[in-house]
Amino acid sequence: MQRRDFLGLSIATGLSVAGLGGCSKSGPLAFGIHPWIGYEPLYLARDFDWLPASVALRSGTSARDSMDGLLSGELGGAALTLDETIRIWSQGTELVVVAVADVSAGADVLVARPHIAELADLRGQRVAVELDGVSGILLLKILEVAGLSRDDIVAVDLPVNQHPEAWSRREVDASVCYEPTVSALESDGGLRLFDSSSIPETIFDLLVVTRDTVDSNPGAVRDLVAGHFAGLRHMVRSMHDSIYRIASRQGIQPGKVKNALGTVMLPDLAANQRYLAASGRVESVARSLSRLMFDEGIITNEPGFRGLCNTAFLPRRVS
């Protein structure tokens, strides 16, 4: 995998953050978030008080916390992957994508034992995968590339953080995972066989809000997105400071933060406008991914995706 040059993201240094001080007429937007490198700009925005009272981050331990909050109505938005967004929409809660936080460029990985030399060798092997998550989607893509079906492998449904233990007990032959699990398995003899850099612009991490929130609290949505871009700008301008803040908050070594940043692309304003355009990449991937998820029985109905993406909340001015 070719390491991404994080410093080359060309975030506009003169991004207008005038919306940061905006006030909501409908109370604060409760926004679900959980630890992931692509969501760190929002945590930084909170650290520096760049998120006004119109936005209240609700920290959870996983995407499941945010998904449950959206379905129950306790949250008005959340940071989710595209497939998680589709899962929620298919259950009756319409969501609107207001920003792309990151695009996986090697962050999602298939690690295999040495006897699995190529993807076709996965046939009959035990593959650890968190089926109810982005790893399950990557597995479907891997099987598609390999010319295999789900029946050709033995899928071992496990949360990603349990993969190293199953690996050490030799209960699995391969793992679909992400950091820090990737490093743990590689240190125990695993080899990187495939990663998301082979399927570019396919795995998106997003900032989404409910359609009700778009209609009733647009000012808060605008403040949320402005906060994200303010935090992203700090990550680019002051990377050293950002890395140590992230490492301290997550309780990990700064080197692991640097490694994680090398496996994602954090889109700037122009890239967001392109991704979220009508019939743009996010919408096209959502439609193809939805069909795949429906065919595999992951969802029971395909969302219509009316107005899936909305660029109106992106900052309007750069200088």
Side-chain angles (χ1 to χ4, degrees):
M1 178 189 68
Q2 183 176 357
R3 185 176 176 85
R4 292 271 183 164
D5 181 3
F6 181 64
L7 285 172
L9 291 175
S10 67
I11 304 299
T13 57
L15 179 68
S16 170
V17 293
L20 286 173
C23 296
S24 167
K25 298 180 180 180
S26 306
L29 162 60
F31 190 84
I33 192 171
H34 60 278
W36 172 245
I37 192 65
Y39 305 149
E40 285 298 334
L42 279 177
Y43 285 112
L44 289 171
R46 183 178 64 182
D47 290 347
F48 286 104
D49 292 326
W50 293 333
L51 286 175
S54 59
V55 179
L57 296 186
R58 299 285 185 254
S59 297
T61 59
S62 69
R64 174 49 55 189
D65 295 329
S66 294
M67 295 168 75
D68 289 344
L70 287 168
L71 290 171
S72 69
E74 294 178 4
L75 297 176
L80 298 175
T81 57
L82 181 55
D83 67 286
E84 290 160 353
T85 299
I86 293 170
R87 292 171 199 263
I88 295 299
W89 194 317
S90 72
Q91 295 179 62
T93 299
E94 289 193 22
L95 299 175
V96 179
V97 181
V98 294
V100 176
D102 73 80
V103 186
S104 182
D108 300 280
V109 182
L110 171 68
V111 179
R113 297 193 187 277
H115 72 271
I116 302 175
E118 55 186 34
L119 294 182
D121 295 337
L122 288 171
R123 188 183 300 274
Q125 302 298 307
R126 300 163 299 174
V127 181
V129 58
E130 191 170 5
L131 291 173
D132 189 22
V134 69
S135 297
I137 299 303
L138 181 61
L139 176 61
L140 294 179
K141 291 291 185 181
I142 291 169
L143 294 176
E144 186 176 70
V145 172
L148 301 174
S149 72
R150 288 178 67 176
D151 293 336
D152 290 325
I153 65 165
V154 179
V156 181
D157 189 9
L158 282 176
V160 171
N161 62 359
Q162 295 181 22
H163 290 199
E165 185 177 353
W167 181 278
S168 66
R169 294 196 303 259
R170 303 196 70 84
E171 294 175 351
V172 298
D173 306 297
S175 163
V176 184
C177 56
Y178 42 81
E179 292 291 5
T181 300
V182 174
S183 294
L185 298 186
E186 287 181 326
S187 67
D188 197 13
L191 300 175
R192 184 181 297 244
L193 192 60
F194 184 93
D195 65 43
S196 53
S197 66
S198 297
I199 48 172
E201 296 191 332
T202 298
I203 299 178
F204 291 95
D205 287 282
L206 311 167
L207 305 186
V208 303
V209 296
T210 64
R211 194 167 301 281
D212 286 345
T213 298
V214 166
D215 294 337
S216 65
N217 209 351
V221 178
R222 193 167 290 108
D223 289 341
L224 169 79
V225 177
H228 165 76
F229 278 99
L232 183 56
R233 183 182 60 183
H234 183 77
M235 288 180 73
V236 174
R237 282 182 167 179
S238 305
M239 180 178 289
H240 185 78
D241 175 73
S242 298
I243 286 174
Y244 278 89
R245 285 179 182 273
I246 294 168
S248 177
R249 192 185 62 76
Q250 292 198 9
I252 59 178
Q253 293 296 317
K256 290 190 178 294
V257 177
K258 292 181 181 178
N259 290 341
L261 287 172
T263 62
V264 295
M265 183 187 68
L266 305 178
D268 62 8
L269 179 58
N272 260 270
Q273 291 168 336
R274 184 172 65 253
Y275 282 136
L276 300 185
S279 301
R281 183 64 181 173
V282 170
E283 183 178 317
S284 64
V285 171
R287 293 187 184 281
S288 62
L289 185 55
S290 176
R291 287 193 295 272
L292 178 63
M293 293 171 71
F294 179 77
D295 291 342
E296 293 291 337
I298 297 173
I299 58 177
T300 57
N301 63 284
E302 291 190 69
F305 295 128
R306 176 183 60 85
L308 172 64
C309 302
N310 192 332
T311 61
F313 300 101
L314 295 173
R316 295 183 181 277
R317 299 190 304 275
V318 293
S319 59

